[in-house]
Structures are given as C-alpha cells and as structure tokens.
Amino acid sequence: MEQTANTGHPRRWAILAVLVVSLLVVVLDNTVLNVALRTLADPVHGLGTTQSELEWAINSYTLVFAGLLFSFGVLGDRFGRKRFLLVGLALFGLASLLSAYAQNPGQLIGARALMGIGGAAIMPVTLSIISNVFDPRERGKAIGVWSGAVGLAIAIGPILGGALLEHFWWGSVFLINVPVVIVGLVAVALLVPESRNPRPGRIDMLGVLMSVVGLVGLTYGIIKGGENGFGNTEVLLTGGGGLVVLAAFVWYESRIAFPSLDVRLFKIPRFSAPIAAIGLTFFASMGVFFFSSFYLQLVRDYSPLQTGLLFLPFAVAQLIFAPRSHAMVQRFGGKAVTATGLSLVTLSLIGFVFVDAQTAVWFLLFVFFVQGVGMANIMAPATESIMSALPREKAGVGSAVSNTIRQVASALGIAILGSILAAVYRGQIEPTTTALPGPAREVANESISGAYGVAAQAGPAGGNLISAANDAFMTAMHWAAGSGAVILGFGILAALIWMPGRRAGAEHVQPVEVEAGELATAG
C-alpha cells in the first residue's frame, strides 16, 4: 500500500508515448540505412557512392551524434529539456528531408551529419524528461518501456528499410522520418512540460568543449581504425589525442566547483557498474548486427527485406521482456537480472560460433531472440540504476553519459570486431586469390562483398572464388563472435561484483539520490 502521494505528472503516460515516438526516429536511423547501401552504390538507382562514401554516410551520423550527446544533455538540463527536444526534432526532420533528396554523396554525408546534431539533442532529454515526470516508484516501469523502444527500433530499422526499398526509391528511408517528426513536434508542444535544473550554477564551457573534442577524436579514431587498421598514423593521432583530451577532461572536472560531469559519481557502484554493462552489451551486439548482415545478404543470399525480417525475434523479445524487467529487478535484484541478461547475450554470440552456410533458419531466429531477451534484461535495470543514482535535476547527466557510452561502444564494437573479421578473412582467402591479377586480388582480399564483385566478372572460375570467400567469411565470423563473447564475460564479472543485489535493489532509491546529490553539489 502506498504511504505517500504519487508525485508524477498527471499526463505522464501520454508524455512517455510522445517521448518513445521521438526516440524511435532517432534510433531507427542508426540501422535503417544499412539495408540501402547496395542501392546507394548503384549509379542508376542510387547515387553511385564508393565504398568509402558509403561508410561515411553511416559514420558521419554516428560521429556527430556521439560527440554531442553528453554536451547536449548538460545544456538541456540548464536551458530547458522541452526546448531542446523541439529544436532537435525540427533539425532532425529538416536533415531527413535533405538526405532524401541529396543529389550526390557529399550532400548525403553532410545531411547525415546534420541529422546527428538533431539526434544528439533528442535522445538525452527523452530520458531526462521521464525522470522528471514519473514518481520514483513508477520510474522503473517507464524506463523499461523506453528501453524496449530502443531495442525495438534497432530491430525494425532493417525491416522498415527493406520494405521501403521494395516499393520506393532509396530516399524513402529518410523521408519516412518527416511526417513522424511533424506529429512529434505537435505532441511535444501540447503535452510535454518544460523542466530544467533549478540550480545549474555556472556553465562549464571548457568542460563541454573538451568533452566534444575528446569524444569526436576518439570516435573518429575508432571508425578510421576499423577502416585502415589501428596501427595507422591518423588513427593513433586522432584516437590517441581524443583519449588524452578525455583524460584531461576527467582531471579538470574533478577539480572545479560546477562541473558539467561530476566524475566522483563514478565512485557509486549503482552508477558506474550499469554504465559498464550497457557499454559492453552494445559493443558486442552492434558487432553482431554488423557481421550478421553480411552473412545473411551474401552467404545466405537473402533480400534486404528478408534480412530485416530475420531480426524480428530480437524486436519481439524486447517488446515482451523489457517492460517486465523492472518486476524482475524487484524480485531478484539488479545484480542477478543484469548478469543473467549479459549471460544471455554472451550465449547468443556463442551461438554464432556454430553457425555455417547451411544453418537452419529456426536456429538463427532463436539466436536473435535470445540476444533480444538478454538486452531487454540489461537495458532497463541498468538504465534505472543509473538514473536513480542522480537527483532529478541532474537527470540529463545520467542520460547523456549512458547514451554516449552506448554510441561510442557501438562504434568500437563495429570497428574492433570488424577488424578481427577483416583480418581473419584476409588470412583465409589469400591462398585462393594468389592467381588473380593485382587489383582484383586486392579487392577480393578486402571483404566478402569485394570477392563477390570480382567473382561476377570472372566467368566460370567465379564459383570457386565465391565458395572460398564464404568459407573464409564463416571462419572470420566465428572468431569475431567468439571475441565478443569473451569481452562480455568481463561484463558479467563486473555486474556480479559491483551491481546492487536484491536487498539494495528493493530499497527506495532516495538514499542513493541524496548521496549523488551531495556529490554533485559538493565543492
């Protein structure tokens, strides 16, 4: 029985629905473009983009998005979260329109970067607003719905993209955002209340600048490392420089009176352990989506729509289990639920180690379902733990840190697991390509898609090359999946050691909020 009145906003569930729709368009755009890459490369039906231009069409969004997430979360806390949400939605809709009607690859890359700015303004404030309009007793359920929307958007992005490309031109994957944004703008203006930090103190401009420069440098280095190898001079300078700036940022933030991020919060296990769990989960999972898309469309010869539909069990698992994860935490504790979720994601990666070119479809569906169940039982309890470690007025900090870690970890997962994939593939395919002419050998050794392109022009001999490329890719995929599983093992240990158990998870969050508030306002 409730002993105190519910302090949540009267229209909190309608507000949550609006925030989920706003979030969907942002997260969808992280995955929907993947199925359109082949079409964009077509000089007749697309823009005739090169491989490098295709990579930057994706990475320009990720780079800007990750680099600005933290800063925009902090600024939203100060100047108004509703205001930032409205500006972000408008900018995202405009950039989507520009992307849809881009006339050349350069315009598309620029428009995608603009979309990243809009997305960075939207995502952190959605979680901040949830923390402000919901009573702490309902916050877990609301964050479960929010987390389920993230997972759902990741999974339905390829499905939606594939369906649109079956009937419309490539620009439709961007144009679909515009009417959703318009509806979102009206709903936010009518329903969402304005909120901000009542005691923001001075703006930490140097800290904000350092966080942007450090994150952009690190993310750029990660992306370029995935393309050119991590020993590349440009990668070492940008990625290493980004790490140096971020280290200086942490040092600086620990010594000023009004930091944009109080790094002392990381001493609180309820804050730092779930951030690590989220980062490692997205590191492994986005790497899986990366190499499984190649596997499904090339090795198995599925269409973009068929490939997207195979991800559907992941979405179903998110819809079923994410809203229920809060109840699981109340019953078993955040430590047990998060560790179990990490174990399930690890199990799904181990499943990919046993996948081959003839694996039954039901097994693939099962593996994606297990991965979805695991993520559903990580995202919600971990995010709730992060947000409950902070007072409401500092909600933007927790949201921004969580989302920034997710984006950077996703880029790192694709880059590192993609590099493992490329290195093993190259070692496996080289004995077969030694007889090819120099340029063709180089293309075939670079990737399985390159080998397919060379095989298409090799006549009868192309069949042997495709067979060798498939075998090489399967071995490489097994190594990448196994590496991801090993890395997730460290996440399981971190959750078991530092996440709060059942007793801590069942207690009211106020003691942690007070501690976090004291830390945040100390000095």
Side-chain angles (χ1 to χ4, degrees):
M1 185 175 67
E2 292 185 358
Q3 298 179 351
T4 57
N6 192 309
T7 61
H9 194 281
R11 296 194 302 268
R12 57 193 178 279
W13 294 107
I15 293 169
L16 177 62
V18 173
L19 297 177
V20 164
V21 172
S22 302
L23 179 70
L24 279 174
V25 293
V26 175
V27 182
L28 272 173
D29 204 72
N30 277 322
T31 57
V32 72
L33 183 60
N34 290 328
V35 297
L37 295 180
R38 281 189 175 184
T39 307
L40 284 168
D42 191 315
V44 177
H45 301 291
L47 296 176
T49 51
T50 65
Q51 181 66 32
S52 175
E53 289 166 342
L54 287 174
E55 291 172 355
W56 279 110
I58 296 175
N59 292 338
S60 62
Y61 179 89
T62 304
L63 184 66
V64 174
F65 190 85
L68 293 177
L69 260 175
F70 173 69
S71 301
F72 278 12
V74 173
L75 295 175
D77 277 351
R78 179 180 180 86
F79 295 111
R81 294 151 187 154
K82 177 178 180 177
R83 180 178 302 171
F84 257 66
L85 182 55
L86 288 170
V87 171
L89 280 170
L91 190 58
F92 193 87
L94 174 62
S96 297
L97 188 65
L98 293 174
S99 296
Y101 291 101
Q103 299 299 304
N104 56 62
Q107 290 181 8
L108 178 62
I109 292 168
R112 290 276 297 165
L114 191 61
M115 289 176 75
I117 298 175
I122 295 169
M123 179 169 272
V125 297
T126 60
L127 197 51
S128 303
I129 293 169
I130 288 173
S131 293
N132 277 273
V133 301
F134 279 90
D135 185 283
R137 290 164 293 185
E138 292 182 323
R139 184 188 296 157
K141 183 186 292 186
I143 290 176
V145 174
W146 182 93
S147 301
V150 173
L152 176 64
I154 290 172
I156 67 174
I159 301 173
L160 178 62
L164 289 170
L165 291 172
E166 291 269 335
H167 301 95
F168 306 103
W169 99 114
W170 64 267
S172 61
V173 300
F174 301 112
L175 198 61
I176 191 68
N177 293 334
V178 176
V180 179
V181 165
I182 292 173
V183 172
L185 283 169
V186 174
V188 169
L190 294 176
L191 292 175
V192 177
E194 184 61 280
S195 63
R196 54 175 57 87
N197 187 342
R199 298 184 302 275
R202 295 186 296 272
I203 300 178
D204 176 22
M205 292 303 300
L206 179 58
V208 169
L209 179 62
M210 292 172 73
S211 71
V212 172
V213 172
L215 284 170
V216 168
L218 176 60
T219 310
Y220 182 88
I222 290 169
I223 292 170
K224 294 300 290 184
E227 295 176 2
N228 304 325
F230 287 94
N232 183 274
T233 302
E234 182 183 8
V235 171
L236 294 174
L237 288 175
T238 55
L243 283 174
V244 170
V245 173
L246 288 176
F249 167 75
V250 171
W251 177 86
Y252 175 74
E253 294 296 289
S254 67
R255 284 161 172 78
I256 62 174
F258 297 99
S260 54
L261 171 63
D262 193 329
V263 295
R264 290 167 292 181
L265 292 173
F266 286 94
K267 296 179 181 178
I268 305 173
R270 186 181 288 250
F271 184 81
S272 55
I275 283 179
I278 288 175
L280 290 172
T281 300
F282 272 81
F283 175 96
S285 298
M286 291 304 102
V288 168
F289 277 116
F290 174 73
F291 62 68
S292 62
S293 294
F294 284 101
Y295 165 74
L296 293 172
Q297 293 194 51
L298 292 173
V299 177
R300 300 302 294 266
D301 197 28
Y302 291 124
S303 70
L305 179 56
Q306 290 171 326
T307 298
L309 289 172
L310 285 170
F311 290 128
L312 194 57
F314 180 91
V316 171
Q318 292 283 322
L319 284 174
I320 294 173
F321 290 95
R324 291 168 172 78
S325 60
H326 177 57
M328 298 293 288
V329 171
Q330 289 182 318
R331 182 172 181 179
F332 300 106
K335 181 196 296 283
V337 174
T338 304
T340 300
L342 286 165
S343 299
L344 288 172
V345 177
T346 303
L347 184 63
S348 72
L349 265 72
I350 294 173
F352 270 102
V353 175
F354 297 97
V355 167
D356 58 32
Q358 287 80 40
T359 297
V361 171
W362 70 262
F363 183 79
L364 298 173
L365 297 175
F366 174 74
V367 168
F368 284 126
F369 183 79
V370 170
Q371 184 183 8
V373 174
M375 286 192 69
N377 284 288
I378 296 168
M379 285 299 298
T383 304
E384 180 186 357
S385 182
I386 293 167
M387 301 309 291
S388 68
L390 299 174
R392 288 187 177 190
E393 65 270 14
K394 300 286 285 185
V397 173
S399 173
V401 171
S402 172
N403 286 300
T404 299
I405 291 295
R406 180 162 61 237
Q407 290 298 318
V408 173
S410 297
L412 184 62
I414 292 172
I416 292 181
L417 297 185
S419 295
I420 293 172
L421 188 81
V424 175
Y425 169 82
R426 190 177 299 112
Q428 294 289 314
I429 195 68
E430 279 179 348
T432 304
T433 60
T434 52
L436 292 173
R441 182 173 65 250
E442 201 171 302
V443 171
N445 288 344
E446 183 180 356
S447 67
I448 184 174
S449 56
Y452 268 64
V454 172
Q457 302 177 12
N464 292 333
L465 179 58
I466 287 177
S467 178
N470 286 345
D471 291 341
F473 181 83
M474 295 309 306
T475 301
M477 188 177 80
H478 295 160
W479 274 93
S483 300
V486 171
I487 291 169
L488 270 178
F490 292 102
I492 297 172
L493 289 176
L496 290 174
I497 294 171
W498 290 298
M499 284 286 288
R502 182 172 64 176
R503 184 178 178 184
E507 292 172 353
H508 197 277
V509 297
Q510 186 62 31
V512 181
E513 291 194 16
V514 171
E515 180 185 359
E518 290 171 352
L519 284 170
T521 56

